């Protein structure tokens, strides 16, 4: 899948030298208290090995100037690498014990220790666990130099080849999300006391026949050709239920959520899945600079995507009154936008979330580092847009379903508060591309209106993908949970999406029981636990203050 190819290119950008690979893995994951300090770092790549003095690295990190001994590494010891040496995972000592216990109980925590043992030959699991635990209790947090200063041997050897496989998926925001997942699973658990209707289940396929039609709409002003797949049922009377528009993610296609489109149409809901020509798989594959994630997408795509939706709504308003099979099927006065990843950003922008470009520029200039997630890097492409704030709201959009949305810093600290429409947001605690804490859970807190947070503890970025995409993300760089182990997640997405959409119809009351924690929780399975909440409990809010 092109999305995965894009991430592999992103990984290549991050690890453009074998030296980076070793720095990144250890820098993101460990620090140890003072003791017997290592004096050398041995970077190993196959039969080749090179030693780097820790003292020289410390001087470089402090001054930004390369000592003579490190001039040979000038192409890789850049200002970004300097930031990586001092990059910290800040965990308040008050929650260090809980953080560590939560992380070690997860499969990711166990795999992290195992993988680090391979990437750092000679380090036993006991040493790694002890070092991680003690470092978490330090006020200054986890850092690479902190680890190097205290490693209990004269030297530390890093296997760069093994480190590459960890480089992207291990970053501070990701580890925070993993550790938080255990608390979300416990603190959001409810006793299933909701009485559900027995006559129907919105997660099951409806009885209506589904037809599809593909049209291509040309926006001559912006020189964009927008393909749209329309799903509808000829069995239903033209009742003007809300129109659903689906926006795909970065490097994907309009068929990404085809299973969801068919499901909704089987229940009489008309769905339009569009393809964004500037950020679909074709556009990403044609990008000239494939080494830098920011250069895989032009800044204007962040404004063009919402405008694509507004454009097709204008066209649909005309089609809705014309003779033909779509007559009265396209209710553009009541629209639900469903978006995944960058499509989630698109949906939120249409609902009124305001881009804070000044805030984003400061983040990308001062805080962007090699330890940040792919989503953090991708959003920085928007800094090329003109102005300080940007409003892309479309009043026809009445509610939004944002699945693993890319949010991060793009809406600043107040932009999400501008959304007045109901929002259903999905977050996955093992999402390496748009980590849960920074891209969904914190932004969810900004929302002021009716809102639901659907949490997939163990879910990854592509866990909601349809059958066409299943098994396409099998590379070792970005592991994804897909297939049978995520079937329950897709089922609950079908059920709650239909129930959420119907909150804009006279059937709202009948569907409301399916927007309850007990209903969502009933879909939990060993691989993925599912929770639903409208307000995060105080215990979780306290966690968020520390990250």
């Amino acid at each position: 899948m092109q999305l995965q190819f894009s991430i592999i290119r992103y990984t290549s950008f991050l690890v453009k030298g074998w030296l980076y690979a070793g720095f990144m893995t250890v820098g993101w994951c460990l620090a140890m208290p003072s003791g017997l300090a290592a004096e050398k770092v041995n970077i190993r790549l196959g039969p080749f090995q090179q030693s780097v003095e820790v003292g020289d690295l410390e001087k470089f990190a402090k001054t930004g100037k390369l000592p003579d001994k490190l001039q040979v590494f000038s192409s890789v010891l850049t200002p970004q690498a300097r930031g990586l040496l001092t990059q910290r995972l800040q965990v308040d000592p008050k929650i260090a014990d809980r953080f560590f216990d939560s992380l070690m109980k997860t499969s990711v925590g166990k795999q992290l220790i195992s993988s680090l043992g391979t990437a750092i030959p000679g380090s036993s699991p006991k040493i790694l666990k002890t070092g991680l635990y003690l470092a978490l209790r330090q006020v200054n947090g986890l850092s690479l130099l902190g680890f190097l200063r205290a490693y209990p041997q004269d030297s530390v050897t890093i296997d760069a080849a093994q480190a590459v496989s960890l480089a992207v998926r291990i970053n501070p925001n990701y580890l925070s999300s993993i550790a938080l997942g255990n608390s979300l699973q416990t603190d959001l658990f409810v006793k299933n006391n909701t009485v559900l209707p027995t006559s129907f289940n919105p997660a099951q396929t409806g009885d209506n026949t589904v037809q599809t039609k593909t049209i291509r709409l040309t926006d001559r002003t912006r020189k964009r050709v927008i393909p749209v797949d329309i799903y509808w049922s000829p069995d239903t009377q033209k009742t003007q239920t809300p129109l659903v528009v689906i926006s795909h993610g970065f490097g994907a296609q309009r068929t990404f959520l085809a299973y969801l489109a068919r499901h909704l149409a089987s229940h009489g809901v008309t769905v339009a899945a569009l393809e964004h020509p500037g950020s679909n798989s074709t556009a990403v594959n044609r990008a000239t600079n494939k080494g830098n994630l920011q250069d895989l997408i032009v800044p204007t795509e962040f404004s063009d995507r919402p405008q694509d939706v507004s454009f097709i709504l204008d066209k649909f308003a005309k089609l809705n009154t014309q003779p033909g099979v779509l007559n009265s099927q396209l209710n553009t006065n009541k629209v639900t936008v469903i978006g995944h990843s960058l499509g989630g950003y698109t949906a939120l922008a249409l609902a009124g979330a305001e881009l804070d470009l000044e805030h984003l520029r400061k983040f990308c200039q001062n805080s962007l580092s090699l330890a940040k997630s792919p989503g953090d890097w991708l959003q920085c492409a928007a800094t090329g847009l003109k102005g300080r704030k940007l409003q892309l709201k479309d009043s026809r959009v009445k509610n939004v379903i944002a699945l693993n949305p890319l949010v991060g810093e793009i809406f600043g600290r107040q932009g999400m508060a501008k959304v007045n429409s109901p929002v259903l947001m999905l977050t996955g605690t093992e999402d390496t591309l748009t980590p849960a804490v920074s891209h969904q859970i914190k932004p969810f807190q900004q929302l002021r209106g009716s809102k639901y947070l659907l949490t997939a503890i163990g879910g990854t970025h592509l866990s909601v993908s349809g059958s066409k995409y299943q098994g396409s993300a099998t590379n070792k760089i970005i592991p994804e949970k897909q297939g049978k182990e995520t079937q329950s997640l897709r089922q609950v997405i079908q059920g709650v999406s239909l129930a959420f959409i119907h909150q804009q119809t006279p059937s709202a009351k009948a569907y409301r029981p399916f927007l309850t924690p007990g209903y969502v929780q009933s879909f939990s399975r060993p691989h993925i636990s599912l929770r639903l909440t409208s307000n995060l409990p105080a215990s979780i809010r306290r966690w968020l203050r520390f990250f």
Side-chain angles (χ1 to χ4, degrees), residues 198-397:
T198 57
S199 57
F200 75 104
N201 183 345
Q204 296 177 351
T205 303
D207 297 328
N208 297 317
T209 302
V210 176
Q211 291 188 355
T212 62
K213 180 182 180 67
T214 299
I215 62 175
R216 295 181 182 275
L217 301 173
T218 301
D219 186 338
R220 290 183 172 79
T221 302
R222 295 181 302 138
K223 299 180 181 179
R224 288 169 75 90
V225 178
I226 304 170
V228 186
D229 291 339
I230 303 175
Y231 303 76
W232 82 98
S233 173
D235 299 340
T236 59
Q237 295 190 4
K238 300 170 183 179
T239 57
Q240 292 289 296
T241 57
L243 171 69
V244 172
V245 176
I246 295 181
S247 173
H248 64 77
F250 173 70
Q253 299 167 324
R254 63 188 185 277
T255 55
F256 183 81
L257 293 173
Y259 75 93
L260 180 57
R262 288 186 173 276
H263 177 78
L264 296 175
S266 76
H267 285 271
V269 177
T270 301
V271 181
L274 77 157
E275 193 151 321
H276 301 282
S279 50
N280 60 2
S281 58
T282 302
V284 172
N285 194 46
R286 288 177 178 172
T288 56
N289 185 355
K290 296 180 173 62
N292 189 334
L293 189 63
Q294 291 174 261
D295 293 336
L296 291 176
I297 183 172
V298 296
T300 52
E301 190 65 13
F302 287 86
S303 57
D304 276 330
R305 279 177 142 262
Q307 289 171 6
D308 287 344
V309 176
S310 294
F311 172 75
I312 71 166
L313 291 181
D314 291 340
K315 293 294 184 180
F316 281 3
K318 296 178 181 179
L319 283 175
N320 198 49
T321 61
Q322 296 176 355
V325 294
L326 296 177
N327 177 266
S328 300
Q329 295 281 4
L330 304 168
N331 184 5
T332 56
N333 294 317
K334 286 185 178 180
V335 179
T336 296
V337 178
I338 302 177
H340 175 258
S341 191
L342 189 58
Y345 150 81
T346 304
L348 291 166
L350 284 161
E354 187 175 75
L355 277 71
D356 190 337
L357 297 175
E358 184 176 15
H359 173 87
L360 181 64
R361 290 180 186 119
K362 289 179 180 178
F363 168 80
C364 296
Q365 181 177 356
N366 302 325
S367 301
L368 191 63
S369 71
L370 298 177
K372 296 297 183 181
S373 69
D376 293 325
W377 281 84
L378 182 62
Q379 67 179 345
C380 287
T383 57
L385 290 170
K386 296 180 180 179
R388 298 172 59 184
K389 294 184 181 292
L390 189 61
Q391 176 59 259
L392 297 163
K393 181 178 180 179
D394 191 314
S395 61
R396 293 169 292 189
V397 175

Side-chain angles (χ1 to χ4, degrees), residues 142-202:
L142 302 169
S143 73
L144 170 58
L145 288 177
F147 167 70
L148 296 177
R149 282 193 293 265
Y151 192 79
Q153 293 181 8
D154 292 337
S155 63
V156 54
T157 299
I158 298 172
D159 188 317
Q162 295 295 327
V164 169
S165 67
L166 288 175
V168 171
R169 71 177 187 268
I170 303 301
N171 61 69
N173 282 331
Y174 177 56
L175 289 180
S176 300
S177 300
I178 291 294
L180 184 59
N182 186 62
S183 291
L184 288 167
Q185 183 171 11
T186 302
D187 297 351
L188 296 182
F189 179 84
V190 297
K191 293 183 178 180
N192 193 352
N193 55 7
T194 303
V195 178
L196 298 174
T198 57
S199 57
F200 75 104
N201 183 345

Side-chain angles (χ1 to χ4, degrees), residues 54 70 87 119 161 183 268 286 332 341 379 401 444 491 509-510:
V54 175
L70 294 182
Q87 177 74 30
S183 291
R286 288 177 178 172
T332 56
S341 191
Q379 67 179 345
I401 299 175
F444 177 80
Q491 288 177 332
K509 185 177 180 179

Side-chain angles (χ1 to χ4, degrees), residues 1-14 168 249-252 278-287 289-297 374-375 377-378 433 462 472 475 477-478:
M1 189 176 74
Q2 294 298 333
L3 173 62
Q4 291 302 306
F5 296 156
S6 303
I7 300 305
I8 292 173
R9 294 185 191 118
Y10 166 72
T11 305
S12 175
F13 161 66
L14 289 181
V168 171
F250 173 70
S279 50
N280 60 2
S281 58
T282 302
V284 172
N285 194 46
R286 288 177 178 172
N289 185 355
K290 296 180 173 62
N292 189 334
L293 189 63
Q294 291 174 261
D295 293 336
L296 291 176
I297 183 172
W377 281 84
L378 182 62
L433 307 184
L462 299 178
S472 61
N475 65 79
I477 296 178
I478 303 291

